[in-house]
Amino acid sequence: MRGLMVLAAGAAALMATIAIRGSESVAHGRATAEGAPAYTADGRLIMPAEYREWVFLSSGVDMSYSERPVHQFDNVFAPRAAYRAFLKTGVWPDKTVLIVENRATETKGSITRSGQFQNGGVIGLEAHVKDKARFKGGWGFFGAKGEFFPYTANCYACHQQHAAADTTFVQFYPTLLPTATRLKTLSPAYLVDPAGLSKE
């Protein structure tokens, strides 16, 4: 009888261990799905494969920071947890990864007679990562292959000078600009020059 009790206790302990490890795996999977940044040993960002399951912030058409026309859609995605945090605080939590996906435009297809739509190919991918312990100024930019953009790249100064909130272009995200306005987290530079007319 004692032997059966020992076996039962051992089985219970084993099941508890499996349950704990299983919950840890689920938690880890959830963290990954939320978009926490992960890096390779040489400092490259591991681009999140599941970003299209995140919150869709906005899509710009033919947007360009110069006079040169760029015929593409820019789709921006944020992890759900980061999006919910922004709605509460007006700033992005540390370890936020924002993805900008570029897709080519089409004007003729199926039943369309006017306008533009996105074709099936991704022609560009960039990430904007908030990691205070890792990046000067708290944010870093990465290219499609996870390569880090040096701090001399134009994107850093442009975001500092023109981004509406937390060095991100919230002015182009219609579900978030009212939040940043209400919570008074709009940047001083943006409030002075919301149209972005100042020189770089």
Side-chain angles (χ1 to χ4, degrees):
M1 186 67 160
R2 181 175 177 79
L4 290 175
M5 292 177 64
V6 170
L7 285 174
L14 178 61
M15 293 302 292
T17 301
I18 292 172
I20 291 170
R21 289 181 177 173
S23 64
E24 289 174 348
S25 297
V26 170
H28 175 71
R30 185 163 54 248
T32 301
E34 293 286 341
Y39 309 92
T40 62
D42 61 353
R44 288 178 174 263
L45 178 71
I46 299 173
M47 297 297 277
E50 76 287 352
Y51 71 87
R52 289 194 65 83
E53 299 175 13
W54 296 356
V55 175
F56 173 66
L57 295 183
S58 187
S59 185
V61 184
D62 289 353
M63 294 179 67
S64 176
Y65 302 131
S66 67
E67 298 300 324
R68 179 177 58 87
V70 179
H71 299 298
Q72 65 184 25
F73 283 81
D74 301 318
N75 303 314
V76 185
F77 301 88
R80 293 182 184 278
Y83 181 81
R84 289 192 293 266
F86 192 99
L87 291 176
K88 293 179 180 178
T89 66
V91 295
W92 298 104
D94 196 32
K95 303 299 188 291
T96 292
V97 178
L98 302 177
I99 295 292
V100 180
E101 173 198 78
N102 310 124
R103 289 181 183 264
T105 63
E106 295 283 354
T107 56
K108 296 180 181 179
S110 187
I111 62 172
T112 61
R113 295 296 179 265
S114 63
Q116 301 180 61
F117 62 92
Q118 304 182 46
N119 72 13
V122 176
I123 60 175
L125 202 64
E126 292 183 2
H128 193 191
V129 181
K130 187 173 188 179
D131 195 334
K132 294 178 181 178
R134 193 176 187 94
F135 304 123
K136 182 172 66 176
W139 288 88
F141 291 87
F142 294 84
K145 296 182 179 179
E147 68 277 17
F148 176 73
F149 292 174
Y151 294 117
T152 53
N154 291 336
C155 44
Y156 291 93
C158 184
H159 278 249
Q160 285 287 345
Q161 294 172 14
H162 302 297
D166 201 6
T167 74
T168 60
F169 286 113
V170 169
Q171 62 263 49
F172 301 130
Y173 309 151
T175 61
L176 294 185
L177 182 58
T179 296
T181 302
R182 175 175 54 84
L183 295 175
K184 302 184 185 306
T185 58
L186 294 173
S187 73
Y190 174 77
L191 289 172
V192 170
D193 186 25
L197 299 178
S198 64
K199 295 182 179 179
E200 298 293 333

